[in-house]
Amino acid sequence: MLTISLNTLIWLFPIAFMLHEFEEILFLKPWIKNNKSTITTRFPFFASRFKTFTKGFSTRKFSLIVAEEFVLVSAVAFAAAEWEWYNLLVGVLMAYAFHLLIHLVQFIAYRRYIPAIVTTIVTAPYVIFAIFYMLASGIAQLNLSVIIGVLVFIAIAANLVLSHWIVRIIKF
């Protein structure tokens, strides 16, 4: 039987998050360059959004967004470890699991490598285990965690829109 301390389970989240983000940081820019025309041709309904996302895209700016998200993820892990805010952590893990599911759908639709799919497959078992462990052990409640997860997903989406807007106007 697998035994893991709750603190280890909690602090694995920022590690798993960054592992996933490192794949995107390292491979997204060259992938965009090599796949831009294929994406816009195969998925014309996403073409304008994809062009908007990739216009002015830089690894440096993307890394700045990731750094801000890492601070937030680490703050959630800290809150869970220090103040027992387990429902918040499970809610964030649920939102992150949905994020991983989106990458899986992207991969299935594109039928080729996309930056993030390798670490989606690698980190998903941890995310699923952590959610089920905390719910099954009773330290987090499903209803409250789902509500928090939905609110967190909305907040993350708004944060990403704001972050992308900010890095577009920053000159560096």
Side-chain angles (χ1 to χ4, degrees):
M1 182 172 152
L2 176 67
T3 58
I4 187 168
S5 78
L6 184 56
N7 263 354
T8 299
L9 191 66
I10 291 167
W11 286 109
L12 278 174
F13 180 44
I15 295 168
F17 174 82
M18 280 312 301
L19 181 64
H20 176 72
E21 294 302 320
F22 283 142
E23 182 182 9
E24 291 181 314
I25 289 169
L26 291 171
F27 300 113
L28 191 57
K29 176 99 177 175
W31 182 87
I32 288 170
K33 182 180 177 188
N34 294 331
N35 292 274
K36 191 172 191 173
S37 63
T38 305
I39 294 289
T40 55
T41 303
R42 282 189 57 199
F43 306 100
F45 43 92
F46 288 122
S48 66
R49 178 172 280 155
F50 187 75
K51 287 178 183 175
T52 300
F53 173 77
T54 59
K55 182 181 179 192
F57 179 86
S58 76
T59 300
R60 180 184 291 178
K61 290 179 179 184
F62 183 71
S63 297
L64 184 61
I65 294 169
V66 169
E68 184 258 350
E69 290 177 337
F70 177 70
V71 168
L72 296 175
V73 164
S74 298
V76 168
F78 180 84
E82 292 300 314
W83 302 317
E84 300 179 355
W85 291 11
Y86 304 126
N87 289 303
L88 174 63
L89 178 62
V90 173
V92 171
L93 283 167
M94 288 176 173
Y96 183 68
F98 187 72
H99 167 82
L100 296 179
L101 182 62
I102 290 169
H103 285 314
L104 189 59
V105 169
Q106 290 170 330
F107 172 70
I108 291 167
Y110 194 52
R111 288 181 255 132
R112 293 186 208 167
Y113 171 79
I114 61 163
I117 194 59
V118 172
T119 52
T120 291
I121 293 166
V122 169
T123 62
Y126 155 75
V127 173
I128 293 165
F129 175 80
I131 291 168
F132 281 101
Y133 177 85
M134 287 189 256
L135 292 174
S137 67
I139 63 171
Q141 293 72 44
L142 179 61
N143 292 343
L144 183 54
S145 295
V146 168
I147 291 167
I148 291 170
V150 169
L151 294 174
V152 164
F153 191 80
I154 293 167
I156 289 169
N159 181 58
L160 283 174
V161 168
L162 180 62
S163 297
H164 281 277
W165 178 77
I166 289 171
V167 298
R168 286 197 193 291
I169 62 173
I170 293 174
K171 303 291 183 209
F172 72 101

